[in-house]
């Protein structure tokens, strides 16, 4: 009996120690490759506005994160590397949006980890829930017209080479016909 009780508490502890504070066990993606970005607007850490409209005309990479999430802690350096590679390219926009985490916590994490990705600290799930109902990190790569061409979650997290390939393909082949072919052939639409 003690053995089974011990097993029960270990499993219960694993369940509650998850980095992702979910109210539901499995998430539902509200947008996926082929969909257009939902209409949103947030204030970035430098005071400027990031919105669906401000991303038009750019290849965009968006990541939703929480700094206490181990998978996010692995993914953010990958996004930082991507950001550094494309920082001088005005055709590419890379931003991070927190989920249920305020400015002070995010700013502290950015400083401790030498991150320079522009971010928006969101105390709630208002913006996040336009994209998904659960699960972080969530990374979206979008065409210039706002159509999502690839999406990554935490199983497995996106690699630098996958994201770089997605950005390059989207930059180089942004015509409607090619994008439709990419979607139909599942080329950079890597949903796991």
């Amino acid at each position: 009996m003690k053995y089974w009780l011990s097993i029960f508490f270990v499993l219960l502890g694993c369940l509650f120690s998850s980095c992702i504070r979910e109210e539901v066990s499995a998430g539902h993606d509200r947008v996926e490759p082929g969909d257009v970005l939902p209409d949103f607007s947030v204030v970035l850490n430098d005071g400027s506005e990031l919105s669906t409209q401000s991303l038009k005309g750019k290849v965009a990479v968006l990541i939703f994160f929480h700094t206490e999430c181990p998978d996010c802690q692995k993914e953010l350096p990958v996004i930082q590397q991507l950001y550094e590679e494309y920082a001088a390219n005005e055709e590419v926009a890379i931003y991070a949006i927190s989920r249920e985490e305020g400015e002070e916590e995010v700013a502290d994490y950015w400083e401790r980890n030498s991150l320079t990705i522009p971010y928006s600290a969101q105390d709630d799930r208002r913006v996040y829930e336009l994209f998904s109902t659960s699960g972080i990190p969530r990374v979206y790569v979008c065409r210039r017209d706002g159509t999502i061409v690839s999406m990554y979650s935490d199983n497995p997290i996106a690699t630098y080479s996958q994201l770089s390939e997605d950005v390059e393909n989207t930059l180089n082949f942004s015509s409607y016909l090619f994008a439709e072919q990419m979607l139909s052939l599942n080329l950079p639409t890597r949903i796991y």
Side-chain angles (χ1 to χ4, degrees):
M1 178 72 169
K2 282 185 175 182
Y3 173 77
W4 291 109
L5 196 54
S6 296
I7 296 292
F8 173 76
F9 283 116
V10 167
L11 293 174
L12 190 63
C14 290
L15 177 67
F16 287 113
S17 67
S18 172
C19 72
I20 306 171
R21 298 171 293 162
E22 303 298 347
E23 294 176 12
V24 293
S25 58
H28 171 72
D29 295 316
R30 296 190 181 195
V31 295
E32 18 184 72
D35 293 341
V36 175
L37 283 173
D39 192 30
F40 74 94
S41 177
V42 295
V43 176
L44 294 170
N45 57 311
D46 67 359
S48 64
E49 179 185 15
L50 169 64
S51 67
T52 308
Q53 194 61 34
S54 70
L55 293 173
K56 296 285 182 180
K58 298 177 188 261
V59 171
V61 178
L62 301 174
I63 178 173
F64 286 92
F65 71 95
H66 192 285
T67 63
E68 292 180 4
C69 164
D71 287 332
C72 299
Q73 292 169 358
K74 293 175 189 170
E75 190 74 282
L76 284 168
V78 171
I79 302 297
Q80 177 66 37
Q81 184 181 1
L82 194 71
Y83 176 72
E84 289 171 2
E85 178 181 340
Y86 290 99
N89 188 334
E90 293 182 9
E91 296 180 323
V92 178
I94 301 173
Y95 298 101
I97 302 172
S98 74
R99 186 191 78 177
E100 293 184 300
E101 190 167 27
E103 173 65 30
E104 187 176 323
E105 295 88 356
V106 176
D108 181 55
Y109 186 85
W110 249 237
E111 185 177 332
R112 282 186 285 120
N113 292 279
S114 302
L115 298 175
T116 58
I117 310 159
Y119 69 85
S120 176
Q122 299 293 304
D123 291 324
D124 56 26
R125 290 183 178 216
R126 181 184 54 82
V127 176
Y128 170 79
E129 286 186 342
L130 297 172
F131 291 80
S132 185
T133 60
S134 70
I136 50 175
R138 282 273 196 256
V139 180
Y140 301 88
V141 179
C142 309
R143 292 191 327 219
R144 290 177 173 94
D145 67 357
T147 302
I148 298 166
V149 294
S150 61
M151 184 194 94
Y152 299 89
S153 65
D154 61 340
N155 187 20
I157 62 173
T159 65
Y160 173 79
S161 61
Q162 289 170 322
L163 290 171
S164 181
E165 180 182 339
D166 289 350
V167 170
E168 284 300 315
N169 284 341
T170 307
L171 276 171
N172 294 327
F173 305 103
S174 62
S175 74
Y176 178 78
L177 179 59
F178 182 78
E180 291 305 311
Q181 290 172 339
M182 289 183 352
L183 292 171
S184 68
L185 297 174
N186 280 340
L187 291 178
T189 57
R190 298 182 177 112
I191 302 176
Y192 298 100

